[in-house]
Amino acid sequence: MPAPPRTLPSSTDLHGVRWLRSSYSTGANNCVETARPATGPGAGLLAVRDSKDPAGPALLISPGSWAKFVAAVR
């Protein structure tokens, strides 16, 4: 099985996903959003995008790596 892509050229390639923002986010659109695609190129991974550029690229990362990142920046 080939390795999944690390990024998608556009977050719109993740059709039908529900993007979530942190509860710490303000209404100024200056945060990241995450989604968990159930199907397609990002299935099983966590997608991360810039809320200021919702049509821009999305980074795909394993849920475990995301948890380690969040723990490190706390």
Side-chain angles (χ1 to χ4, degrees):
M1 182 171 168
R6 295 180 79 96
T7 63
L8 291 174
S10 170
S11 60
T12 58
D13 292 340
L14 296 167
H15 301 290
V17 298
R18 183 173 167 228
W19 291 96
L20 303 172
R21 288 190 189 179
S22 167
S23 59
Y24 294 102
S25 174
T26 66
N29 244 12
N30 56 356
C31 59
V32 297
E33 296 175 319
T34 60
R36 289 191 172 219
T39 61
L45 298 172
L46 184 73
V48 182
R49 72 179 182 183
D50 182 349
S51 65
K52 293 185 298 284
D53 188 12
L59 174 67
L60 299 175
I61 188 169
S62 73
S65 294
W66 179 253
K68 288 177 186 178
F69 170 76
V70 170
V73 296
R74 277 193 180 142

